[in-house]
Amino acid sequence: AQRALHSMRNIILLILPAFLLSWHLGMAQKPSKFSKSEKEFVGTGTADDPMRVYLITNPEDSVLLRTPSKPVKVNAKDKELKLFVDRMYRTVRDSASMGVGIAAPQVGVLRQIIWVQRFDKKNFPFEVYLNPVIKQYTKKQQCGPEGCLSVPERTDSVFRAYAILLEYDKMDGSHEIEMIEGFTAVIFQHEIDHLNGIIYLDHLVAERREALQKP
């Protein structure tokens, strides 16, 4: 009986950490409103004020850029959320940035929110996406130059999926799924990487490792 009890204790000790990790990740993935500190951070400016872009070359910024983001609770009447997405847009369109996309971590907020310029639509509009998730990637790939607001003065060629199946929330609370391809799909992959703490430079490392392993 004592041996059985000892075995049971060992099994519990093996299972418990995995269970706690799974529970923690599950809790962390529940959409939530902005915290008090996030509200204060966002509220330091108006909708017309761009935010500071976090840079991978700054050690403190780099830690935040490497941290996965949390889902945000969608509410069209949420003033802080509206202010934040407006400030994000002002930042990506600022003359000092002029990017084609931006993710919330790049301005210091670890939330799953991105702006993307839709080159696959008439007049190339900028659109905001909340809690975006790529459900599928095509095996077909494309390779092209990529830069990043958080990686100053650098451009590299990166392999990406040619098309993706994207699921996301909109500011009005609706939930959408759509297939996106071409250069616009590249922008989505780049920005969603940011939400997972991934910088496009990481793909270069992986690609070089794969090239070295090939006979």
Side-chain angles (χ1 to χ4, degrees):
Q2 189 173 11
R3 181 178 297 177
L5 183 62
H6 180 73
S7 298
M8 182 63 70
R9 185 182 66 179
N10 288 340
I11 292 172
I12 292 173
L13 289 175
L14 287 171
I15 293 175
L16 186 59
F19 172 79
L20 290 175
L21 177 60
S22 176
W23 177 82
H24 174 75
L25 291 174
M27 292 295 290
Q29 289 302 308
K30 287 186 177 180
S32 61
K33 294 182 178 180
F34 279 175
S35 65
K36 181 180 179 181
S37 60
E38 288 172 329
K39 291 178 181 179
E40 291 175 350
F41 181 75
V42 173
T44 56
T46 68
D48 293 324
D49 294 322
M51 304 180 77
R52 181 178 76 84
V53 175
Y54 280 46
L55 303 176
I56 198 71
T57 50
N58 180 310
E60 293 184 1
D61 290 359
S62 181
V63 171
L64 185 139
L65 289 168
R66 292 298 189 177
T67 305
S69 298
K70 298 181 293 184
V72 63
K73 189 171 184 179
V74 182
N75 183 351
K77 297 181 180 180
D78 188 328
K79 294 181 180 179
E80 284 80 15
L81 177 60
K82 179 65 167 59
L83 173 60
F84 180 60
V85 298
D86 287 346
R87 293 195 70 189
M88 280 184 66
Y89 177 74
R90 182 69 180 83
T91 303
V92 75
R93 299 304 293 155
D94 184 62
S95 60
S97 303
M98 290 302 290
V100 296
I102 194 169
Q106 291 182 276
V107 290
V109 178
L110 292 172
R111 291 292 184 158
Q112 294 177 5
I113 305 171
I114 63 174
W115 276 94
V116 168
Q117 187 168 14
R118 295 297 299 258
F119 288 97
D120 55 346
K121 293 185 178 182
K122 185 179 180 180
N123 298 325
F124 310 141
F126 271 86
E127 297 180 354
V128 64
Y129 300 86
L130 290 75
N131 308 319
V133 177
I134 298 176
K135 307 300 288 187
Q136 291 182 19
Y137 298 82
T138 59
K139 292 183 179 180
K140 179 182 178 181
Q141 290 191 318
Q142 56 186 321
C143 183
E146 284 189 38
C148 181
L149 300 180
S150 295
V151 184
E153 301 179 358
R154 179 166 178 169
T155 302
D156 298 274
S157 294
V158 183
F159 281 93
R160 298 280 188 180
Y162 176 77
I164 58 173
L165 183 64
L166 183 72
E167 186 173 1
Y168 58 88
D169 296 316
K170 298 177 70 174
M171 283 293 290
D172 62 6
S174 61
H175 189 75
E176 305 286 342
I177 299 178
E178 67 173 304
M179 180 70 75
I180 302 165
E181 60 184 26
F183 180 58
T184 303
V186 170
I187 304 173
F188 273 103
Q189 291 171 77
H190 181 112
E191 301 307 336
I192 292 174
D193 270 354
H194 277 299
L195 303 184
N196 295 313
I198 298 170
I199 307 298
Y200 87 87
L201 300 176
D202 299 334
H203 292 281
L204 304 181
V205 175
E207 289 165 10
R208 287 168 186 159
R209 185 183 301 115
E210 290 178 3
L212 289 173
Q213 291 176 346
K214 289 181 179 179

